[in-house]
């Protein structure tokens, strides 16, 4: 028996053992898949709401861990919404022109291809519960070039909904 071959057999056996017991890199979670789909919005979008032109820009930032939406109405202040993965949920924090910051969260993501419905978890910067603030956001990606956002809000004990429809103006790159 050739003793030089024994270490080689042990090495092969060790490699096979390690390969069989080493965890495979985990597939993406449903929330990560949903975030990737949301990140496909990167670029510039145009829309209107009640005759007012609105431009929206999506930028992937923070080493791909956050998607920033810049909401730029034709007149009025710019608003920012940041989207990120939080376990099996997605979160959206909206920096509103009303000077408050609603943080909204999805339920556990079970289907990454469905519309994303965010519900209010908490709001910072609210001086009074009666002050105007967003309470929810539904993001509907109809196809690669059409997007609808349904925002719900409350003010002085009354609730409402505003719907924005956007068309892609320019594809964005990864960041």
């Amino acid at each position: 028996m050739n003793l030089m071959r024994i270490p080689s057999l042990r090495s092969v056996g060790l490699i096979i053992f390690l390969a069989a017991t080493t965890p495979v890199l985990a597939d993406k979670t449903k929330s990560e898949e949903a975030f990737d789909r949301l990140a496909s919005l990167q670029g510039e979008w145009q829309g209107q709401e009640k005759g007012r032109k609105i431009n929206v820009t999506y930028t992937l930032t923070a080493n791909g861990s956050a998607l920033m939406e810049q909401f730029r109405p034709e007149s009025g202040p710019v608003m920012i919404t940041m989207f990120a993965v939080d376990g099996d949920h997605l979160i959206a924090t909206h920096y509103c022109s009303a000077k408050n910051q609603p943080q909204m969260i999805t339920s556990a993501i079970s289907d990454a291809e469905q519309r994303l419905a965010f519900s209010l978890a908490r709001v910072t910067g609210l001086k009074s519960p009666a002050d105007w603030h967003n309470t929810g956001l539904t993001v509907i990606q109809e196809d690669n070039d059409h997007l609808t956002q349904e925002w719900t809000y409350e003010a002085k004990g009354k609730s409402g909904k505003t719907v924005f429809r956007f068309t892609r103006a320019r594809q964005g790159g990864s960041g």
Side-chain angles (χ1 to χ4, degrees):
M1 178 184 266
N2 185 343
L3 293 177
M4 296 298 286
R5 294 181 135 296
I6 293 174
S8 296
L9 287 175
R10 284 187 185 157
S11 297
V12 169
L14 181 60
I15 290 169
I16 291 171
F17 172 76
L18 289 174
T21 59
T22 301
V24 178
L25 288 177
D27 290 333
K28 286 192 173 190
T29 64
K30 293 292 183 190
S31 57
E32 290 168 330
E33 289 174 8
F35 180 80
D36 288 349
R37 184 166 178 251
L38 198 58
S40 74
L41 296 174
Q42 288 180 89
E44 297 175 15
W45 297 75
Q46 296 176 336
Q48 286 192 358
E49 193 270 330
K50 295 182 182 173
R52 181 176 61 152
K53 292 180 182 177
I54 300 166
N55 292 319
V56 174
T57 303
Y58 289 95
T59 307
L60 199 57
T61 188
N63 195 26
S65 67
L67 181 69
M68 179 174 66
E69 175 194 275
Q70 295 178 50
F71 185 95
R72 298 178 179 274
E74 184 176 40
S75 60
V78 173
M79 292 179 276
I80 302 289
T81 304
M82 298 296 292
F83 298 92
V85 174
D86 184 26
D88 59 356
H89 306 270
L90 294 185
I91 57 173
T93 304
H94 179 67
Y95 298 86
C96 190
S97 61
K99 298 185 179 178
N100 58 51
Q101 306 80 38
Q103 185 175 61
M104 299 164 283
I105 188 167
T106 64
S107 57
I109 304 288
S110 60
D111 184 348
E113 296 301 314
Q114 292 298 313
R115 61 181 58 195
L116 295 172
F118 295 85
S119 299
L120 186 64
R122 70 185 194 123
V123 60
T124 58
L126 197 62
K127 293 178 182 157
S128 158
D131 287 349
W132 196 99
H133 61 282
N134 287 300
T135 57
L137 166 63
T138 301
V139 178
I140 306 162
Q141 292 175 256
E142 294 145 29
D143 57 40
N144 288 335
D145 296 318
H146 298 93
L147 169 69
T148 298
Q149 291 183 347
E150 298 174 351
W151 287 87
T152 56
Y153 60 88
E154 285 184 14
K156 297 181 181 170
K158 297 190 181 203
S159 59
K161 178 162 78 169
T162 306
V163 178
F164 299 95
R165 298 186 196 294
F166 299 101
T167 302
R168 188 183 297 274
R170 190 169 63 97
Q171 187 85 23
S174 59

